[in-house]
Amino acid sequence: MAPTPINATSWTFADTYVAEDDVLAAARARAEEVGVTPIGAGTGSTLRFLAAALEARAVVEIGTGTGVSGVWLLRGMRPDGVLTTVDVEAEHQRLAKESFKDAGVAPQRVRTIAGSALDVLPRLTDGHYDIVFADGDKREYAAYLSEALRLLRPGGVVAFDNALWHDRVADPAQRDDETVAIRELVQQVAATEGLVPALLPVGDGLLVAKKEWVPEGD
């Protein structure tokens, strides 16, 4: 027997279970000023948990925004961990640096790169990263997955925000470009050998997948 879906009250309770502080509130205010939609608290706390569980030392973020997701990730990473964050908007990254400073993050722990993710990611080191988090152009998600599989170490995790895309992905009648791209990504991740996937109903949906260890010589 399938479990009964949780109601809106329980979902909100779970999604706001880990409270945000003044640093994140200020980062959200900056996002509103420039028209950026940041991740929610539930997604942020999940990313922090993943970074802490993996003892992440190196993380790639696609879509810096004003630093909301970056602060969450950095708070879960090792004290010597470095976040490499990519965004096409240099002004957004300037605001994100203010958020990182507010959070007490040392400058050497964040590497901001302004540019298109598909131009930047190929220049990053193979097998070096513990987490790749994507919150960029939804139509490029499949390409981000290909890059993430190269960038992640065995045991690393790739995560995609907006995996439910405002309840559109689960509705086959919705056929706009972004919805179709995310729907195809969800299917691709589930079908990819060597990935252990899960689709989490936090925020607007968080698709995660662990890159399995493969014995040498296989």
Side-chain angles (χ1 to χ4, degrees), residues 56 68 74 83 127 181 201 213:
V68 174
L74 285 158
L83 173 70
W213 291 88

Side-chain angles (χ1 to χ4, degrees), residues 75-90:
R75 286 177 171 176
M77 294 168 63
R78 292 169 50 110
D80 59 346
V82 175
L83 173 70
T84 299
T85 182
V86 183
D87 202 295
V88 293
E89 297 288 347

Side-chain angles (χ1 to χ4, degrees), residues 24 27-28 38-40 43-44 47-48 61-75 83 85 100 133 135:
L24 287 163
R28 289 190 182 283
I39 61 170
T43 304
L47 291 175
R48 185 183 68 170
E61 176 185 50
I62 303 165
T64 308
T66 58
V68 174
S69 51
V71 169
W72 276 111
L73 284 162
L74 285 158
R75 286 177 171 176
L83 173 70
T85 182
F100 300 145
F133 171 58
D135 189 16

Side-chain angles (χ1 to χ4, degrees), residues 131-192:
I131 297 174
V132 175
F133 171 58
D135 189 16
D137 188 333
K138 312 310 170 192
R139 294 163 297 183
E140 296 180 349
Y141 267 17
Y144 297 163
L145 176 63
S146 296
E147 291 295 331
L149 294 179
R150 177 183 61 79
L151 294 172
L152 287 171
R153 64 166 175 82
V157 170
V158 61
F160 292 89
D161 190 33
N162 303 116
L164 297 176
W165 198 230
H166 317 304
D167 297 322
R168 299 174 70 86
V169 170
D171 180 359
Q174 304 297 326
R175 300 293 301 171
D176 61 278
D177 289 348
E178 291 177 321
T179 300
V180 169
I182 297 170
R183 186 181 296 131
E184 290 177 349
L185 172 81
V186 169
Q187 295 167 347
Q188 181 182 355
V189 168
T192 299

